[in-house]
Amino acid sequence: MQSAKRATEVYAETVSGEHRLERKLKTRHLSMIAIGGTIGTGLFLASGSTIAAAGPGGALAAYLIAGLMVFFLMTSLGEMAAFMPTSGSFSTYTSRFVDPALGFAIGWNYWYNNAIIVALELSASALIMKYWLPDVPGILWSAIFLVLIFSLNILSVKGYGESEFWFSIIKVATIIIFIAISLLMIFGIMNGHTGGFRNLTEGDAPFHGGFLSIISVFMIVGFSFQGTELVGITAGESENPEKDMPRAVKQIFWRLLLFYVLAIFVIGCLVSYKDPHLLSSDVSNIAVSPFTLVFKNAGLAFAASVMNAVILTSVLSAGNSAMYAASRVLWMLAKEGKAPAFLKKVNKGGIPMNALYVSTLIGMAAFLTSLFGDGVVYSWLLNAAGLAGFISWLGISIAHYRFRKAFLAQGRELSELPYVAKWFPFGPILATVLCTAAILGQNYGAFFGSKVDWNGVLVSYIGLPLFLLAYLGYKIVKRTKLVPLEQADLSRE
């Protein structure tokens, strides 16, 4: 097996004057990127609406199911990325182990997803800044933050890793402090709550709305977890992916348990699911975030300002990561001949400049659509982007199933793998089933009622026909077929 040091040298060297990406992300960068990818506005803000919709028990159930799905997805990704670290990640894996057409569609789907997320976070940042400076035009803040995100990505991959490291530390510290204060309040050690665990069983809690409410909340929770797969993209620029990837993946389960399940549990104890504030918690109303409410009840008067600052760092972190992921996936698509060749250009610092420029321009263009008319085009883009995340996850689980089968079919031993995902094939099969259910159930309510809500169906599922068009178009033009297990490309960088 090629040593990690030699793999680094091979990846970073130049061939015929063509610069490559450089392996400069350290273990601490990957660990915090993996943590930060699981924490965002979905936890700080959307957690309130999930408890309001499904009750504390229903929300916990949804987070546990989604957490199990994400855990298996990350172990699947970890097995492939530790053995074959590449910035193309699941786009490359689906091309090699399933079908080049699927890899083409997954790659462009994931690039598009992240380019639109950049636009979403720019819009969110402007709304957040209005809390402090309501008279400053929002577009000015969006422009400033776009320059900041672009600058963090253009400097070096180490600059990206360092910024994400500190963004993640802020988020992790906030959640740990929040959970500690919440537990003190629940057990009466700290003032602000006298109900103990009473909110868990009031009314028709813990499972408000029954099974269907858990299903509807599962979709929201799934969106909250999107971003965890980014660690697979960063493996292509990790100093030692054979050791870093298994380490990052092994910690995923405990992070999900601590940062999501425990946080949801204490919120359910401290805030009644009937509290009307939970339904109005978003980036334009940080004051009623479940986190802010708990901090205020604990007597911390500055809670809203602190949470506003934390959520701003979450938004910038998400935009920063989306820009990074979009540029790397687009670069790899070009390397594989699935995108224009000019996008392959990499500067001396190991940054795919043209891919970064294009991703920035598309993100900015998508953001500008929200400023004109009534934002219909933008809302369609966001709906398609949300669905794209689940499609990418589906690609990971299918690719891993085929990878393991191909690995054994070609006479290889599992001992050759730097990291072996447990519970195979149950893990990828369960993840495939849950991802498929999430994709098809995006707006299942539109199909029930006196008549089908076709407008709702179109808005919710617009991403699916776009993905299928890319897949079938490439398959027809290139005449691709399912890759035989014995012929799957298991070569490493």
Side-chain angles (χ1 to χ4, degrees), residues 4 13 15 325 331 349:
E13 70 184 358
V15 180
W331 173 80

Side-chain angles (χ1 to χ4, degrees), residues 36-37 39-42 45 113-129 138-139 141-146 149 164 171 223-224 226-227 283 310-323 363-364 366-367 370 378 382 385:
I39 305 169
T41 54
L45 297 172
N113 180 29
N114 282 283
I116 301 304
I117 285 175
V118 172
L120 171 63
E121 305 307 342
L122 291 178
S123 296
S125 67
L127 291 172
I128 291 169
M129 290 305 297
I139 193 170
W141 293 118
S142 297
I144 291 171
F145 291 133
L146 178 61
I149 291 170
E164 279 305 293
K171 293 187 283 188
F223 288 128
S224 300
Q226 286 183 15
V283 291
V310 170
I311 291 169
L312 179 62
T313 64
S314 294
V315 164
L316 294 179
S317 172
N320 192 32
S321 295
M323 186 79 82
M364 183 171 62
F367 163 71
S370 66
Y378 186 58
L382 291 181

Side-chain angles (χ1 to χ4, degrees), residues 287-308:
V288 293
S289 157
F291 282 70
T292 307
L293 291 174
V294 170
F295 281 139
K296 277 184 174 178
N297 290 340
L300 303 176
F302 53 87
S305 284
V306 170
M307 282 311 303
N308 205 58

Side-chain angles (χ1 to χ4, degrees), residues 216-370:
S216 64
V217 165
F218 175 74
M219 309 303 170
I220 301 172
V221 173
F223 288 128
S224 300
F225 282 132
Q226 286 183 15
T228 51
E229 75 289 337
L230 181 68
V231 70
I233 304 292
T234 59
E237 292 172 90
S238 165
E239 282 187 347
N240 192 346
E242 290 190 2
K243 291 183 178 179
D244 293 344
M245 279 303 301
R247 188 174 300 161
V249 169
K250 286 176 182 177
Q251 296 169 359
I252 286 284
F253 175 78
W254 297 109
R255 293 185 196 122
L256 294 177
L257 195 65
L258 173 63
F259 297 136
Y260 273 93
V261 176
L262 188 52
I264 291 296
F265 173 76
V266 297
I267 291 172
C269 290
L270 297 174
V271 183
S272 168
Y273 78 91
K274 298 178 181 179
D275 191 323
H277 288 137
L278 295 180
L279 290 173
S280 54
S281 175
D282 57 38
V283 291
S284 64
N285 199 359
I286 306 294
V288 293
S289 157
F291 282 70
T292 307
L293 291 174
V294 170
F295 281 139
K296 277 184 174 178
N297 290 340
L300 303 176
F302 53 87
S305 284
V306 170
M307 282 311 303
N308 205 58
V310 170
I311 291 169
L312 179 62
T313 64
S314 294
V315 164
L316 294 179
S317 172
N320 192 32
S321 295
M323 186 79 82
Y324 169 84
S327 63
R328 268 44 178 195
V329 171
L330 192 56
W331 173 80
M332 184 55 76
L333 285 169
K335 291 282 290 182
E336 295 174 345
K338 296 171 182 173
F342 80 96
L343 296 170
K344 291 192 295 184
K345 183 178 180 181
V346 177
N347 68 11
K348 292 181 179 180
I351 306 298
M353 293 305 302
N354 288 341
L356 182 59
Y357 289 141
V358 170
S359 299
T360 302
L361 287 172
I362 296 300
M364 183 171 62
F367 163 71
L368 291 175
T369 63
S370 66

Side-chain angles (χ1 to χ4, degrees), residues 104 468-478:
F104 172 85
L468 293 174
L469 184 64
Y471 169 68
L472 294 174
Y474 191 88
K475 192 170 186 66
I476 293 170
V477 172
K478 298 292 185 179

